Amino acid sequence: MSVIHLSAGSEKPAPVEGKARLYSMKFCPYSQRVRLALGVKKVPHEIVNINLKSKPEWFLEINPSGKVPTFVDVDGKVIDDSLAIINYLDERYPEPPLYKAETKARDLELIEKYKAVTDLYSASVHKKIDKPFKEIFGQFLDYFKEYDEELGKRGTSLFGGNELSMLDIATWPWVEQSKLLTLIYEQPLEYDKKDFPHFIKWVDDIRLQQVIQDNYTPYRDVAKYVIPQLNGEEVDINSI
Ligand SMILES: N[C@@H](CCC(=O)N[C@@H](CS)C(=O)NCC(=O)O)C(=O)O
């Protein structure tokens, strides 16, 4: 599905009365986190996609870092950074809550640890790691072992029980996109399913959630954006 990403020289879209606005990019896993939280909380919002290879001048005025996701609430408050935004949304729009009191501390700990996974993913996707793919993927598996064990201890299908929680939302986009690595490295994601029984069930169960399905990002489309750029070619995101 092609959606327009606005570029330098474009006009800033007029705000829509009563709606928050998310500046996003359709393949950005950090933006996907925010789209999921907005969906779970049914926050009235619109999405304005940004061409990150040619950023509109007006977007840089809103957020000089030029990064998406950037969230502008109905009252004009601007927040950037996916984790800051989803935590803000959880306070500003409390229903349904994304943390449970009894697991909040552990959720925060695992969300913090997940930065290592997202950093490793970015470095792998941009081929900034000079290691065989098996070793890189082995590192991912080491991280995911802890998430598998946590699900086992909780005995629930999702981290949040039967409902999506902050930890589900914060981790999912990279898992959903993970097969992108098979196209970049032209190798399979090899692991023993017996080592990750709870995690594999989580993947199956989270995919049943409507909000997850509504925000699905096909990894083959992400590849059409990423792989030509690795080969030094320019890609028009609006053509994918
Ligand atoms: N820590 C930030 C990372 C956001 C980020 O890296 N976004 C990328 C797109 S996925 C971006 O905006 N890149 C454009 C740039 O850095 O100029 C977050 O969690 O929101």
Side-chain angles (χ1 to χ4, degrees):
M1 181 201 45
S2 142
V3 289
I4 294 299
H5 289 66
L6 298 174
S7 304
S10 62
E11 273 196 26
K12 182 181 169 187
V16 176
E17 183 70 30
K19 284 194 178 177
R21 177 178 285 182
L22 175 67
Y23 292 103
S24 182
M25 189 277 251
K26 67 178 176 176
F27 300 136
C28 171
Y30 300 97
S31 300
Q32 194 175 349
R33 272 178 170 166
V34 180
R35 294 197 298 268
L36 292 173
L38 289 165
V40 168
K41 291 181 174 284
K42 298 192 170 65
V43 177
H45 69 282
E46 51 162 351
I47 290 186
V48 172
N49 285 298
I50 299 296
N51 179 355
L52 297 174
K53 302 291 164 198
S54 166
K55 296 172 186 168
E57 300 73 8
W58 49 261
F59 176 61
L60 293 168
E61 278 170 29
I62 297 166
N63 182 358
S65 85
K67 286 192 191 286
V68 295
T70 299
F71 181 73
V72 185
D73 209 345
V74 271
D75 59 6
K77 187 176 166 68
V78 178
I79 304 142
D80 78 350
D81 189 86
S82 57
L83 292 176
I85 300 169
I86 57 181
N87 279 298
Y88 165 83
L89 289 173
D90 199 38
E91 284 186 12
R92 171 86 161 83
Y93 303 93
E95 292 302 325
L98 292 176
Y99 292 108
K100 287 195 166 81
E102 61 275 23
T103 45
K104 183 169 182 177
R106 182 64 174 143
D107 284 2
L108 289 171
E109 192 186 340
L110 286 172
I111 289 168
E112 185 59 32
K113 282 191 176 184
Y114 204 69
K115 286 183 180 161
V117 173
T118 63
D119 286 351
L120 180 62
Y121 184 84
S122 296
S124 321
V125 164
H126 297 108
K127 287 210 157 174
K128 293 205 170 121
I129 308 180
D130 191 17
K131 275 188 195 160
F133 179 64
K134 272 198 168 166
E135 243 179 80
I136 299 174
F137 190 57
Q139 264 179 279
F140 280 110
L141 294 180
D142 289 346
Y143 289 121
F144 283 121
K145 191 71 203 146
E146 191 171 1
Y147 295 78
D148 179 72
E149 286 165 2
E150 184 63 26
L151 284 161
K153 274 185 214 152
R154 293 190 188 190
T156 53
S157 82
L158 302 175
F159 285 106
N162 293 324
E163 313 295 335
L164 288 170
S165 69
M166 192 63 87
L167 186 52
D168 295 291
I169 287 172
T171 48
W172 174 246
W174 289 264
V175 178
E176 186 185 79
Q177 273 196 20
S178 57
K179 278 197 177 162
L180 171 63
L181 297 172
T182 66
L183 300 182
I184 293 178
Y185 290 89
E186 297 178 335
Q187 289 184 52
L189 304 180
E190 277 179 338
Y191 58 96
D192 191 338
K193 290 195 170 177
K194 288 199 297 301
D195 293 336
F196 299 91
H198 312 292
F199 196 75
I200 287 167
K201 183 164 184 322
W202 174 74
V203 170
D204 289 342
D205 289 342
I206 198 170
R207 282 206 169 110
L208 301 175
Q209 297 284 320
Q210 190 61 48
V211 174
I212 295 289
Q213 291 175 14
D214 292 346
N215 288 281
Y216 171 62
T217 308
Y219 71 93
R220 289 183 190 281
D221 285 355
V222 189
K224 287 182 202 159
Y225 181 64
V226 170
I227 293 179
Q229 293 186 63
L230 286 174
N231 298 328
E233 293 162 32
E234 278 188 21
V235 189
D236 173 10
I237 190 163
N238 291 328
S239 69
I240 305 170

